[in-house]
């Protein structure tokens, strides 16, 4: 006997290789997991009030798997609206960084913040994610760069994963920038990460992945190679900020190392795209960031999809290039900027995103055995979710079968 049955004309299961895997019927949940998804009417006995089954009539709702945000810089202090004027004058992102702004400014503030201040700020962001339909997110460190602050931020991720309905998957991104204390001594900073930080992060179980910002003026492909090698040896899964601004062969590198994902990829070469397809690396595209960088450039999603690359779409939530927690807000940029179809986008934010964080067996689609992470959207059909923009469509969110958002508001369960 299930605990919960939801009826809907539009259950976008995301099963199968393409499209929504639409079911006009019902789904049943037991013990937090999907028990069945079937067309037609649920068994009559379950609809009786005496059956003990909670029946939800969502026939005027679209049911989607909870969104999976596969790329976020969740934990940080402060914000960077003070850089907007510079951006509007046309100062490029990498110039702001080279002047000691950008990431470096956020690092200064994050080092000064206490663990509980960081926790409270990130918790607010997680609440916004959840209210916009995200039930699992990846979270990177990378605004501490020193041992103490990186560990502090990763502990915040760990604590929030335990206390907040949104599940978190954590990534050590010490290789986000070379900190001021190591300026001109990138190798010294790399040695520090490899011999001091990675072992401690591993020993405390604070991160599943490592990531490297492989970019001109940040970490070169040769340096990235050394870091990926060390991360792999230490037992981490691999992710890469690849070919975001300057084409450096980041996609090729991600493929060579069998990374779980290669992210950004605006400047990825044809050979890099082919290599991602061959190696089965998930491309995580971040069109909100492309929009916010104001360069008019977007990743070549169509070429990637045609080449057979699995494409996920994420927010890149961070205080510099995408101060936005809502995957719904990103959909319009994925459609108009990346030219992805609504079905490609919604798969990119569910099942493909689950692949990008190695959770494809437990979340990302509505299939028997997976967690019942479900979102009821106030929309006439799934395409409409991408087509209409600027307002929140989430009516109700279930995390592992428990209602955690109702009437668009967070409730405690
Ligand atoms: O804080 O600027 N691209 N890292 C790489 C970022 C953007 C985050 C930031
Ligand atoms: Zn990023």
């Amino acid at each position: 006997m299930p605990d919960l049955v939801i009826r809907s004309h539009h259950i976008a299961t995301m099963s199968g290789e393409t499209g929504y895997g639409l079911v006009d019927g019902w789904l049943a949940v037991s013990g937090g997991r999907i028990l069945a998804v079937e067309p037609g009417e649920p068994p009559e006995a379950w609809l009786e009030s005496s059956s003990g089954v909670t029946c939800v009539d969502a026939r005027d709702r679209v049911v989607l798997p909870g969104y999976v945000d596969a790329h976020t810089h969740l934990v940080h202090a402060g914000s960077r609206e003070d850089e907007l004027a510079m951006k509007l004058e046309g100062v490029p992102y990498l110039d702001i960084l080279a002047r000691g702004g950008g990431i470096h400014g956020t690092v200064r503030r994050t080092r000064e913040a206490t663990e509980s201040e960081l926790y409270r700020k990130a918790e607010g962001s997680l609440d916004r994610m959840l209210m916009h339909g995200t039930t699992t997110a990846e979270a990177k460190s990378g605004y501490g760069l020193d041992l103490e602050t990186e560990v502090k931020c990763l502990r915040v991720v760990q604590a929030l994963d335990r206390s907040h309905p949104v599940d978190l998957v954590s990534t050590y991104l010490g290789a986000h920038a070379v900190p001021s204390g190591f300026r001109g001594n990138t190798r010294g900073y790399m040695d520090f990460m490899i011999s001091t930080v990675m072992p401690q992060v591993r020993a405390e179980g604070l991160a599943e992945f490592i990531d490297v910002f492989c970019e001109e003026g940040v970490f070169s492909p040769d340096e990235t190679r050394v870091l990926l090698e060390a991360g792999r040896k230490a037992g981490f899964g691999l992710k890469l900020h690849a070919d975001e601004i300057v084409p450096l062969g980041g996609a090729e590198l991600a493929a060579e190392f069998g990374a779980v994902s290669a992210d950004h990829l605006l400047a990825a070469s044809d050979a890099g795209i082919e290599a991602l397809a061959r190696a089965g690396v998930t491309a995580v595209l971040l069109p909100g960031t492309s929009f916010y960088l104001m360069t008019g450039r977007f990743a070549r999603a169509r070429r990637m999809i045609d080449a057979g690359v699995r494409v996920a779409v994420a927010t890149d939530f961070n205080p510099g290039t995408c101060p936005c927690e809502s995957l719904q807000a990103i959909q319009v940029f994925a459609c108009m900027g990346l030219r992805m179809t609504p079905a490609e986008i919604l798969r990119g934010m569910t099942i493909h995103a689950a692949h990008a964080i190695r959770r494809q067996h437990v979340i990302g689609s509505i299939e028997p055995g997976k967690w019942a992470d479900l979102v009821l959207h106030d929309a006439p059909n799934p395409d409409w979710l991408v087509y209409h923009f600027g307002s929140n469509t989430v009516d109700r969110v279930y995390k592992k079968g428990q209602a955690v958002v109702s009437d668009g508001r967070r409730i405690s369960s």
Side-chain angles (χ1 to χ4, degrees):
M1 195 77 110
D3 323 311
L4 171 70
V5 170
I6 299 174
R7 306 170 76 182
S8 170
H9 295 305
H10 300 279
I11 304 174
T13 64
M14 306 297 176
S15 61
E17 292 303 306
T18 57
Y20 294 125
L22 269 183
V23 171
D24 176 357
W26 54 274
L27 67 86
V29 175
S30 175
R33 292 184 191 265
I34 307 287
L35 196 63
V37 192
E38 300 285 342
E41 303 293 321
E44 200 67 43
W46 295 353
L47 302 177
E48 312 267 330
S49 53
S50 59
S51 68
V53 180
T54 302
C55 270
V56 175
D57 184 350
R59 282 176 287 187
D60 56 352
R61 296 283 183 264
V62 170
V63 182
L64 245 56
Y67 290 136
V68 176
D69 195 340
H71 184 136
T72 87
H73 302 250
L74 174 70
V75 181
H76 57 265
S79 52
R80 308 221 292 261
E81 63 275 26
D82 55 341
E83 289 174 1
L84 277 177
M86 241 188 309
K87 277 172 70 95
L88 290 171
E89 279 164 25
V91 184
Y93 175 81
L94 290 177
D95 288 10
I96 298 177
L97 183 64
R99 294 178 192 179
I103 294 171
H104 297 297
T106 303
V107 167
R108 281 191 291 275
R109 287 190 253 194
T110 305
R111 285 179 178 177
E112 284 165 13
T114 66
E115 197 165 318
S116 67
E117 284 164 350
L118 292 169
Y119 180 97
R120 277 197 301 277
K121 180 169 159 62
E123 185 182 37
S125 289
L126 277 187
D127 283 346
R128 278 191 283 280
M129 286 184 187
L130 184 66
M131 286 189 293
H132 289 88
T134 298
T135 48
T136 301
E138 186 257 13
K140 303 175 195 296
S141 68
Y143 292 117
L145 309 181
D146 60 17
L147 175 66
E148 187 193 336
T149 318
E150 286 293 305
V151 166
K152 178 171 75 178
C153 292
L154 289 171
R155 284 189 186 139
V156 169
V157 175
Q158 189 177 61
L160 282 166
D161 178 43
R162 289 173 182 161
S163 68
H164 197 280
V166 174
D167 278 328
L168 294 173
V169 171
S170 68
T171 300
Y172 168 57
L173 175 59
H176 196 193
V178 177
S180 53
F182 282 93
R183 187 164 298 144
N185 182 18
T186 302
R187 286 282 162 171
Y189 180 54
M190 289 165 57
D191 288 343
F192 164 73
M193 282 191 279
I194 292 167
S195 60
T196 304
V197 191
M198 283 189 200
Q200 178 150 353
V201 168
R202 194 77 197 137
E204 286 195 43
L206 286 172
E208 178 172 338
F209 296 99
I210 64 147
D211 191 344
V212 179
F213 189 16
C214 179
E215 185 56 73
E216 192 157 281
V218 193
F219 293 92
S220 71
D222 282 346
E223 290 159 354
T224 301
R225 190 180 286 279
V226 172
L227 290 164
L228 292 178
E229 200 76 69
R232 180 158 70 187
K233 230 172 108 192
F236 293 100
L238 306 178
K239 290 179 156 284
L240 196 58
H241 279 67
D243 300 320
E244 178 179 356
I245 298 164
V246 180
L248 292 180
E252 287 89 332
L253 210 50
E256 179 190 327
F257 276 84
V260 174
S261 74
D263 302 33
H264 286 293
L265 300 168
L266 274 68
S269 69
D270 292 350
I273 291 171
E274 300 293 334
L276 292 177
R278 271 197 307 276
V281 177
T282 301
V284 178
L285 305 186
L286 308 159
T289 303
S290 302
F291 168 75
Y292 218 79
L293 282 171
M294 298 172 67
T295 59
R297 260 175 61 231
F298 284 82
R300 293 186 293 154
R302 292 258 54 92
R303 176 141 200 148
M304 293 176 198
I305 292 167
D306 291 347
V309 178
R310 188 188 304 112
V311 174
V313 181
T315 59
D316 195 18
F317 170 59
N318 77 75
T321 58
C322 198
C324 170
E325 292 98 341
S326 166
L327 274 168
Q328 289 183 54
I330 302 302
Q331 289 165 359
V332 70
F333 302 119
C335 189
M336 277 67 196
L338 294 172
R339 298 186 173 263
M340 290 172 71
T341 66
E344 287 166 347
I345 294 164
L346 296 178
R347 288 179 70 84
M349 294 180 170
T350 54
I351 186 63
H352 290 183
H355 275 276
I357 55 169
R358 283 201 303 220
R359 293 292 187 278
Q360 68 273 19
H361 303 299
V362 286
I363 54 169
S365 62
I366 303 175
E367 292 179 276
K370 286 197 173 183
W371 288 117
D373 292 358
L374 303 164
V375 181
L376 275 46
H377 290 269
D378 185 1
N381 59 67
D383 284 355
W384 191 91
L385 292 168
V386 170
Y387 149 81
H388 183 273
F389 73 100
S391 62
N392 189 0
T393 57
V394 170
D395 167 30
R396 190 176 293 189
V397 180
Y398 292 92
K399 181 66 190 179
K400 294 180 177 162
Q402 300 292 316
V404 288
V405 171
S406 193
D407 289 327
R409 282 165 202 264
R410 170 93 194 267
I411 53 170
S412 49
S413 59

